[in-house]
Amino acid sequence: LEFRRVLFRSMVNKNIIVSYIFSFSIILLVGCSNPPLTEKRENKTIEWLQQMEKPSQFFSFLPSAQITFTGKEGTLIKIPEECFIYEDGSSVRDSITLELKECYTPSDILRMNLSTQTEHGLLETNGMVYLEAKSKDKKLKVKKGKKVEIGFPRKKGVKDNMKLYSGNYKNGYINWDRVISDTTIQILPI
């Protein structure tokens, strides 16, 4: 009789344990189901990503000035006089504002939602820099025959044989194209 009671108790305990496991599994499955992605949720995600972005640095100068700027993380930018024109080819007469974003660490690259994708595969990067020049809220381009010089800070472990690429948005992603002009990459000691 004692043996039967112990056997019955263990069977009851097993049934209770099995029912708990079954109930817990159902709760997990129901709790882990993803609700449909709504526009409101998408907007919150975009807002969150924008809050994570690194802030831009802005530099202002006159088009007739030869100027040199250094970003907070060591990017050196040299701009000769009369370097920029409007996209339609007309001359710039008013003050120019240059926007700079420096992304030299993997966390910066992730925060900015950047990639290293090319048509031929992935690139290895020592960092990325975003530059945009505007005057009167209109985008500018570099005048033919002029050059903007960019010096990158040298940090421990940086490779010397890096090539320069220009990023262009394509289908919602940045695609990097090799710059094959007479561009010189300068890595500065920091």
Side-chain angles (χ1 to χ4, degrees), residues 101-118:
K101 287 189 182 188
E102 300 168 289
C103 298
Y104 289 113
T105 65
S107 62
D108 289 344
I109 293 167
L110 289 173
R111 282 174 57 192
M112 295 299 294
N113 197 26
L114 298 171
S115 70
T116 58
Q117 184 67 42
T118 70

PDB file of all heavy atoms in Angstrom, residues 101-118:
ATOM      1  N   LYS A 101      30.051  65.127 -40.445  1.00  0.00           N
ATOM      2  CA  LYS A 101      29.800  64.043 -39.487  1.00  0.00           C
ATOM      3  C   LYS A 101      30.973  63.088 -39.593  1.00  0.00           C
ATOM      4  O   LYS A 101      31.325  62.655 -40.686  1.00  0.00           O
ATOM      5  CB  LYS A 101      28.497  63.302 -39.796  1.00  0.00           C
ATOM      6  CG  LYS A 101      27.269  64.093 -39.449  1.00  0.00           C
ATOM      7  CD  LYS A 101      26.008  63.264 -39.558  1.00  0.00           C
ATOM      8  CE  LYS A 101      24.808  64.132 -39.251  1.00  0.00           C
ATOM      9  NZ  LYS A 101      23.578  63.361 -39.159  1.00  0.00           N
ATOM     10  N   GLU A 102      31.575  62.768 -38.440  1.00  0.00           N
ATOM     11  CA  GLU A 102      32.725  61.870 -38.396  1.00  0.00           C
ATOM     12  C   GLU A 102      32.295  60.555 -37.743  1.00  0.00           C
ATOM     13  O   GLU A 102      31.753  60.563 -36.644  1.00  0.00           O
ATOM     14  CB  GLU A 102      33.847  62.492 -37.559  1.00  0.00           C
ATOM     15  CG  GLU A 102      34.344  63.819 -38.100  1.00  0.00           C
ATOM     16  CD  GLU A 102      35.234  64.537 -37.120  1.00  0.00           C
ATOM     17  OE1 GLU A 102      34.708  65.034 -36.101  1.00  0.00           O
ATOM     18  OE2 GLU A 102      36.452  64.587 -37.368  1.00  0.00           O
ATOM     19  N   CYS A 103      32.536  59.455 -38.418  1.00  0.00           N
ATOM     20  CA  CYS A 103      32.194  58.122 -37.900  1.00  0.00           C
ATOM     21  C   CYS A 103      33.428  57.229 -38.021  1.00  0.00           C
ATOM     22  O   CYS A 103      33.687  56.664 -39.079  1.00  0.00           O
ATOM     23  CB  CYS A 103      31.031  57.523 -38.685  1.00  0.00           C
ATOM     24  SG  CYS A 103      29.521  58.481 -38.563  1.00  0.00           S
ATOM     25  N   TYR A 104      34.161  57.109 -36.929  1.00  0.00           N
ATOM     26  CA  TYR A 104      35.408  56.347 -36.954  1.00  0.00           C
ATOM     27  C   TYR A 104      35.366  55.057 -36.144  1.00  0.00           C
ATOM     28  O   TYR A 104      36.294  54.268 -36.213  1.00  0.00           O
ATOM     29  CB  TYR A 104      36.577  57.219 -36.470  1.00  0.00           C
ATOM     30  CG  TYR A 104      36.949  58.286 -37.459  1.00  0.00           C
ATOM     31  CD1 TYR A 104      36.752  59.628 -37.172  1.00  0.00           C
ATOM     32  CD2 TYR A 104      37.491  57.954 -38.692  1.00  0.00           C
ATOM     33  CE1 TYR A 104      37.095  60.606 -38.090  1.00  0.00           C
ATOM     34  CE2 TYR A 104      37.827  58.928 -39.616  1.00  0.00           C
ATOM     35  CZ  TYR A 104      37.629  60.246 -39.317  1.00  0.00           C
ATOM     36  OH  TYR A 104      37.953  61.215 -40.228  1.00  0.00           O
ATOM     37  N   THR A 105      34.324  54.843 -35.375  1.00  0.00           N
ATOM     38  CA  THR A 105      34.248  53.628 -34.564  1.00  0.00           C
ATOM     39  C   THR A 105      33.091  52.763 -35.054  1.00  0.00           C
ATOM     40  O   THR A 105      32.136  53.283 -35.647  1.00  0.00           O
ATOM     41  CB  THR A 105      34.032  53.954 -33.069  1.00  0.00           C
ATOM     42  OG1 THR A 105      32.736  54.581 -32.913  1.00  0.00           O
ATOM     43  CG2 THR A 105      35.121  54.864 -32.529  1.00  0.00           C
ATOM     44  N   PRO A 106      33.155  51.457 -34.793  1.00  0.00           N
ATOM     45  CA  PRO A 106      32.023  50.598 -35.174  1.00  0.00           C
ATOM     46  C   PRO A 106      30.700  51.059 -34.546  1.00  0.00           C
ATOM     47  O   PRO A 106      29.664  51.006 -35.199  1.00  0.00           O
ATOM     48  CB  PRO A 106      32.439  49.220 -34.648  1.00  0.00           C
ATOM     49  CG  PRO A 106      33.932  49.255 -34.654  1.00  0.00           C
ATOM     50  CD  PRO A 106      34.292  50.674 -34.280  1.00  0.00           C
ATOM     51  N   SER A 107      30.742  51.564 -33.320  1.00  0.00           N
ATOM     52  CA  SER A 107      29.497  52.023 -32.692  1.00  0.00           C
ATOM     53  C   SER A 107      28.950  53.259 -33.414  1.00  0.00           C
ATOM     54  O   SER A 107      27.735  53.397 -33.570  1.00  0.00           O
ATOM     55  CB  SER A 107      29.702  52.306 -31.202  1.00  0.00           C
ATOM     56  OG  SER A 107      30.642  53.329 -31.003  1.00  0.00           O
ATOM     57  N   ASP A 108      29.833  54.161 -33.882  1.00  0.00           N
ATOM     58  CA  ASP A 108      29.378  55.313 -34.669  1.00  0.00           C
ATOM     59  C   ASP A 108      28.703  54.856 -35.960  1.00  0.00           C
ATOM     60  O   ASP A 108      27.661  55.381 -36.351  1.00  0.00           O
ATOM     61  CB  ASP A 108      30.557  56.217 -35.056  1.00  0.00           C
ATOM     62  CG  ASP A 108      31.134  56.989 -33.891  1.00  0.00           C
ATOM     63  OD1 ASP A 108      30.475  57.080 -32.834  1.00  0.00           O
ATOM     64  OD2 ASP A 108      32.262  57.503 -34.044  1.00  0.00           O
ATOM     65  N   ILE A 109      29.307  53.895 -36.610  1.00  0.00           N
ATOM     66  CA  ILE A 109      28.783  53.390 -37.881  1.00  0.00           C
ATOM     67  C   ILE A 109      27.416  52.746 -37.676  1.00  0.00           C
ATOM     68  O   ILE A 109      26.491  52.965 -38.459  1.00  0.00           O
ATOM     69  CB  ILE A 109      29.799  52.421 -38.535  1.00  0.00           C
ATOM     70  CG1 ILE A 109      31.042  53.226 -38.954  1.00  0.00           C
ATOM     71  CG2 ILE A 109      29.195  51.682 -39.716  1.00  0.00           C
ATOM     72  CD1 ILE A 109      32.244  52.396 -39.325  1.00  0.00           C
ATOM     73  N   LEU A 110      27.253  51.998 -36.592  1.00  0.00           N
ATOM     74  CA  LEU A 110      25.955  51.399 -36.278  1.00  0.00           C
ATOM     75  C   LEU A 110      24.930  52.469 -35.916  1.00  0.00           C
ATOM     76  O   LEU A 110      23.781  52.409 -36.355  1.00  0.00           O
ATOM     77  CB  LEU A 110      26.091  50.394 -35.134  1.00  0.00           C
ATOM     78  CG  LEU A 110      26.807  49.098 -35.469  1.00  0.00           C
ATOM     79  CD1 LEU A 110      27.028  48.269 -34.212  1.00  0.00           C
ATOM     80  CD2 LEU A 110      26.017  48.297 -36.500  1.00  0.00           C
ATOM     81  N   ARG A 111      25.332  53.441 -35.098  1.00  0.00           N
ATOM     82  CA  ARG A 111      24.417  54.517 -34.688  1.00  0.00           C
ATOM     83  C   ARG A 111      23.895  55.288 -35.887  1.00  0.00           C
ATOM     84  O   ARG A 111      22.760  55.763 -35.883  1.00  0.00           O
ATOM     85  CB  ARG A 111      25.127  55.496 -33.752  1.00  0.00           C
ATOM     86  CG  ARG A 111      25.272  55.002 -32.347  1.00  0.00           C
ATOM     87  CD  ARG A 111      26.100  55.923 -31.496  1.00  0.00           C
ATOM     88  NE  ARG A 111      25.564  57.273 -31.449  1.00  0.00           N
ATOM     89  CZ  ARG A 111      26.256  58.292 -30.964  1.00  0.00           C
ATOM     90  NH1 ARG A 111      27.472  58.133 -30.514  1.00  0.00           N
ATOM     91  NH2 ARG A 111      25.722  59.489 -30.925  1.00  0.00           N
ATOM     92  N   MET A 112      24.722  55.434 -36.895  1.00  0.00           N
ATOM     93  CA  MET A 112      24.337  56.204 -38.079  1.00  0.00           C
ATOM     94  C   MET A 112      23.677  55.320 -39.149  1.00  0.00           C
ATOM     95  O   MET A 112      23.370  55.797 -40.231  1.00  0.00           O
ATOM     96  CB  MET A 112      25.562  56.907 -38.661  1.00  0.00           C
ATOM     97  CG  MET A 112      26.158  57.970 -37.738  1.00  0.00           C
ATOM     98  SD  MET A 112      25.014  59.302 -37.354  1.00  0.00           S
ATOM     99  CE  MET A 112      24.852  60.031 -38.963  1.00  0.00           C
ATOM    100  N   ASN A 113      23.516  54.043 -38.841  1.00  0.00           N
ATOM    101  CA  ASN A 113      22.872  53.099 -39.762  1.00  0.00           C
ATOM    102  C   ASN A 113      23.609  53.051 -41.109  1.00  0.00           C
ATOM    103  O   ASN A 113      22.993  53.046 -42.169  1.00  0.00           O
ATOM    104  CB  ASN A 113      21.393  53.452 -39.946  1.00  0.00           C
ATOM    105  CG  ASN A 113      20.612  52.307 -40.542  1.00  0.00           C
ATOM    106  OD1 ASN A 113      20.986  51.146 -40.396  1.00  0.00           O
ATOM    107  ND2 ASN A 113      19.523  52.621 -41.218  1.00  0.00           N
ATOM    108  N   LEU A 114      24.935  53.044 -41.036  1.00  0.00           N
ATOM    109  CA  LEU A 114      25.757  53.002 -42.243  1.00  0.00           C
ATOM    110  C   LEU A 114      26.141  51.566 -42.580  1.00  0.00           C
ATOM    111  O   LEU A 114      26.078  50.689 -41.729  1.00  0.00           O
ATOM    112  CB  LEU A 114      27.023  53.835 -42.039  1.00  0.00           C
ATOM    113  CG  LEU A 114      26.788  55.319 -41.778  1.00  0.00           C
ATOM    114  CD1 LEU A 114      28.078  56.004 -41.373  1.00  0.00           C
ATOM    115  CD2 LEU A 114      26.191  55.993 -43.008  1.00  0.00           C
ATOM    116  N   SER A 115      26.548  51.351 -43.794  1.00  0.00           N
ATOM    117  CA  SER A 115      27.005  50.025 -44.219  1.00  0.00           C
ATOM    118  C   SER A 115      28.312  50.182 -44.993  1.00  0.00           C
ATOM    119  O   SER A 115      28.737  51.296 -45.280  1.00  0.00           O
ATOM    120  CB  SER A 115      25.956  49.358 -45.114  1.00  0.00           C
ATOM    121  OG  SER A 115      25.889  50.022 -46.358  1.00  0.00           O
ATOM    122  N   THR A 116      28.907  49.065 -45.340  1.00  0.00           N
ATOM    123  CA  THR A 116      30.129  49.082 -46.155  1.00  0.00           C
ATOM    124  C   THR A 116      29.925  48.258 -47.419  1.00  0.00           C
ATOM    125  O   THR A 116      30.835  47.618 -47.901  1.00  0.00           O
ATOM    126  CB  THR A 116      31.320  48.522 -45.347  1.00  0.00           C
ATOM    127  OG1 THR A 116      31.002  47.199 -44.918  1.00  0.00           O
ATOM    128  CG2 THR A 116      31.633  49.386 -44.144  1.00  0.00           C
ATOM    129  N   GLN A 117      28.728  48.310 -47.977  1.00  0.00           N
ATOM    130  CA  GLN A 117      28.354  47.505 -49.136  1.00  0.00           C
ATOM    131  C   GLN A 117      28.781  48.157 -50.446  1.00  0.00           C
ATOM    132  O   GLN A 117      28.592  49.347 -50.645  1.00  0.00           O
ATOM    133  CB  GLN A 117      26.836  47.315 -49.148  1.00  0.00           C
ATOM    134  CG  GLN A 117      26.319  46.424 -50.254  1.00  0.00           C
ATOM    135  CD  GLN A 117      26.757  44.985 -50.097  1.00  0.00           C
ATOM    136  OE1 GLN A 117      26.744  44.447 -49.007  1.00  0.00           O
ATOM    137  NE2 GLN A 117      27.157  44.372 -51.182  1.00  0.00           N
ATOM    138  N   THR A 118      29.377  47.356 -51.333  1.00  0.00           N
ATOM    139  CA  THR A 118      29.649  47.778 -52.706  1.00  0.00           C
ATOM    140  C   THR A 118      28.975  46.774 -53.628  1.00  0.00           C
ATOM    141  O   THR A 118      28.437  45.760 -53.168  1.00  0.00           O
ATOM    142  CB  THR A 118      31.164  47.792 -53.031  1.00  0.00           C
ATOM    143  OG1 THR A 118      31.631  46.433 -53.088  1.00  0.00           O
ATOM    144  CG2 THR A 118      31.950  48.579 -52.011  1.00  0.00           C
TER     145      THR A 118
END
